[in-house]
Amino acid sequence: MAERPEDLNLPNAVITRIIKEALPDGVNISKEARSAISRAASVFVLYATSCANNFAMKGKRKTLNAGDVLSAMEEMEFQRFVAPLKESLEVYRREQKGKKEARKDKDKKTDSEEQDKSREEENDDDDERMEEEEQNEEEEVDN
Amino acid sequence: MAAAAGPVAAAAVAAAGAEPAGPGEEAGAGPQCPGPARLARLPLARVKALVKADPDVTLASQEAVFVLARATELFVETIAKDAYVYAQQGKRKTLQRKDLDNAIEAIDEFAFLEGEFLLGFSWFQYFQ
């Protein structure tokens, strides 16, 4: 029997929440159905990544970008995702820009030495946050 | 049978997707309004781990990982709704595994899932 790679699974709690919000109130999901949807979601990511990577390679790029993922959605016949994804991307970009500018403003008030520290911290913070989330979700997955 | 399940569900998703949602608005906006502008709920680190599992991928931008995460959320919403149509036909209020299987078989866009469900974790084995 193949070992289940825990870190290639998406957190059960989040998947369940998304499912519940997509369905009318009072509807339940069996454990097996939830588990199957979670696996399907992982396969979706893997398949989409592979598709997106083909577009990157066609463009002679080594880095997958957002456009490649959008192209992959069309290729996979999920064109109806493209518009909402573009909107989300705009919000995400604004947020990232806002974060950077907030840091810049903070930095202007401190030493140039501390400026360098802050920039490093910015990257570490993001990674830390992700790790924290990951740890929290890990507990749920171990059920 | 329910060949219309795909387009009907798709229309529902598209209509719901057209709902304007404020940036950073929480999921509590209401179960009927998924809000396309919402930021990702799936942890980006996990999605990134899946992307990295592909040996052909060198690098992925943060934006690419974000869009993948959001796309996956839309996918989960879509497949849940499409499967629910079968539960409704069976007059059930609980979504079951067979509803998923039916949706996957009936809907073209889910064809990429068919082999996986029969063979189990073959995708993961490939990447190992």
Side-chain angles (χ1 to χ4, degrees), chain B residues 1-3 5 81-92 95 98-107:
Chain B
M1 229 232 266
K81 285 178 175 158
D82 287 343
Y84 183 59
V85 171
Y86 292 95
Q88 281 178 307
Q89 280 176 10
K91 307 223 165 103
R92 280 178 283 105
L95 199 63
K98 59 184 173 185
D99 301 320
L100 240 342
D101 292 338
N102 284 331
I104 289 169
E105 209 186 306
I107 297 162

Side-chain angles (χ1 to χ4, degrees), chain A residues 77-91:
Chain A
E77 291 176 63
F78 288 109
Q79 297 92 333
R80 62 186 180 275
F81 288 1
V82 174
L85 286 176
K86 281 183 174 169
E87 279 187 60
S88 289
L89 184 56
E90 280 313 297
V91 176

Side-chain angles (χ1 to χ4, degrees), chain A residues 3-109:
Chain A
E3 218 181 348
R4 228 178 107 185
E6 290 304 325
D7 44 24
L8 293 190
N9 289 320
L10 297 163
N12 280 339
V14 180
I15 297 286
T16 305
R17 208 181 310 143
I18 298 172
I19 296 172
K20 288 220 141 135
E21 290 186 3
L23 300 176
D25 286 339
V27 175
N28 292 312
I29 316 106
S30 76
K31 211 169 169 188
E32 290 78 18
R34 196 258 325 266
S35 176
I37 292 180
S38 184
R39 275 208 314 280
S42 292
V43 174
F44 175 84
V45 177
L46 294 171
Y47 183 35
T49 297
S50 181
C51 265
N53 200 41
N54 287 338
F55 286 101
M57 293 197 292
K58 261 191 231 170
K60 305 224 167 109
R61 280 174 286 104
K62 291 205 169 163
T63 305
L64 262 185
N65 63 29
D68 297 326
V69 179
L70 292 174
S71 302
M73 291 302 117
E74 298 208 23
E75 176 98 343
M76 291 163 69
E77 291 176 63
F78 288 109
Q79 297 92 333
R80 62 186 180 275
F81 288 1
V82 174
L85 286 176
K86 281 183 174 169
E87 279 187 60
S88 289
L89 184 56
E90 280 313 297
V91 176
Y92 179 75
R93 283 174 172 162
R94 280 202 298 271
E95 219 223 17
Q96 296 301 101
K97 197 173 172 195
K99 267 191 212 169
K100 271 194 186 153
E101 275 161 24
R103 298 270 175 182
K104 271 193 209 154
D105 289 343
K106 236 199 318 186
D107 291 345
K108 275 181 192 160
K109 299 173 183 168

